Amino acid sequence: DAGVTQSPTHLIKTRGQQVTLRCSPISGHKSVSWYQQVLGQGPQFIFQYYEKEERGRGNFPDRFSARQFPNYSSELNVNALLLGDSALYLCASSLWTAGNEKLFFGSGTQLSVL
Amino acid sequence: DQQVKQNSPSLSVQEGRISILNCDYTNSMFDYFLWYKKYPAEGPTFLISISSIKDKNEDGRFTVFLNKSAKHLSLHIVPSQPGDSAVYFCAAIGSGAGSYQLTFGKGTKLSVIP
């Protein structure tokens, strides 16, 4: 079975640009979460989606947005990129949204903002 | 304000010996704790978890201990193997609002020396 897949694996953008990151969850998983991992830090929660609805949002500015499609895949959009947005963006999927639900992470998209 | 703290950025252990990774938390609303392991260029993978109603959970070579009064948990790996070399993240989930999101520590890089 395929795990969580993310694309692209690497991305280079310049300040002010916009970026879209994509995620396909494990087959049968209906919940997708996004995390940002800055170098030297642990992953930080951005969004959770379940059944195409936003179920939670972390402490990130409105420049960050996401959506989930009928096939449960998801996109994360970041507008007006800043240097500080350079990070590894991780997508995770799970069956439900229960707090103790085990998350399965993809390998991430490494975003570099120049 | 770090709610989950891993105060040791790195740890080196001889193969066959015990590895002990520590984690402290400050939020008393956390009631479920997880350890994730991360290899370079891969996403975090779930290792072991523990509910706050328990003080110990064991899975093969991995044991997690929870001391609620001290707000402290530890991961023991016995015996340590070179393949265990990775970054280990402690994560926590709380009940109530925000119970869908994991709060991660900064991670501890474990090196198991053959």
Side-chain angles (χ1 to χ4, degrees):
Chain A
D1 285 344
V4 177
T5 57
Q6 292 186 243
S7 64
T9 54
H10 294 83
L11 203 51
I12 299 175
K13 292 285 188 178
T14 56
R15 280 178 298 174
Q17 285 189 311
Q18 175 264 342
V19 68
T20 298
L21 311 180
R22 295 176 176 83
C23 172
S24 293
I26 291 172
S27 177
H29 284 192
K30 299 182 178 181
S31 177
V32 169
S33 299
W34 288 94
Y35 286 79
Q36 180 198 63
Q37 187 181 7
V38 173
L39 193 63
Q41 304 289 320
Q44 187 174 358
F45 174 76
I46 310 176
F47 286 110
Q48 185 189 58
Y49 275 77
Y50 178 71
E51 290 283 12
K52 301 180 289 295
E53 289 189 7
E54 181 182 307
R55 293 302 181 99
R57 183 185 183 112
N59 188 24
F60 279 81
D62 291 343
R63 299 185 295 108
F64 288 76
S65 63
R67 55 180 175 169
Q68 186 178 33
F69 298 98
N71 66 352
Y72 303 111
S73 67
S74 178
E75 286 182 352
L76 175 70
N77 294 284
V78 187
N79 293 323
L81 285 167
L82 303 175
L83 295 179
D85 295 331
S86 296
L88 179 68
Y89 289 84
L90 294 163
C91 173
S93 76
S94 59
L95 283 168
W96 311 109
T97 62
N100 59 0
E101 187 71 25
K102 187 166 64 175
L103 296 182
F104 294 82
F105 283 88
S107 297
T109 294
Q110 184 66 54
L111 172 64
S112 298
V113 182
L114 305 180
Chain B
D1 180 27
Q2 280 259 292
Q3 297 187 65
V4 176
K5 300 177 184 178
Q6 293 179 257
N7 292 320
S8 298
S10 62
L11 175 68
S12 289
V13 173
Q14 286 292 131
E15 180 179 3
R17 306 293 292 268
I18 183 171
S19 294
I20 300 176
L21 294 92
N22 294 304
C23 177
D24 297 294
Y25 61 97
T26 57
N27 190 337
S28 57
M29 295 298 291
F30 288 148
D31 61 2
Y32 195 77
F33 304 90
L34 310 91
W35 285 93
Y36 279 81
K37 178 170 73 172
K38 187 179 186 299
Y39 293 117
E42 295 184 12
T45 55
F46 171 79
L47 194 57
I48 192 169
S49 62
I50 187 166
S51 165
S52 60
I53 63 173
K54 295 185 174 182
D55 56 16
K56 177 183 174 181
N57 189 26
E58 199 169 351
D59 184 1
R61 298 186 297 113
F62 303 91
T63 303
V64 56
F65 296 92
L66 175 62
N67 183 333
K68 278 191 68 178
S69 60
K71 292 190 176 67
H72 176 83
L73 61 155
S74 61
L75 174 68
H76 293 210
I77 306 173
V78 184
S80 300
Q81 299 174 354
D84 296 329
S85 297
V87 177
Y88 289 78
F89 291 100
C90 173
I93 285 182
S95 56
S99 62
Y100 40 78
Q101 68 180 74
L102 290 176
T103 300
F104 284 87
K106 291 185 177 182
T108 296
K109 183 177 181 179
L110 174 65
S111 299
V112 180
I113 304 163

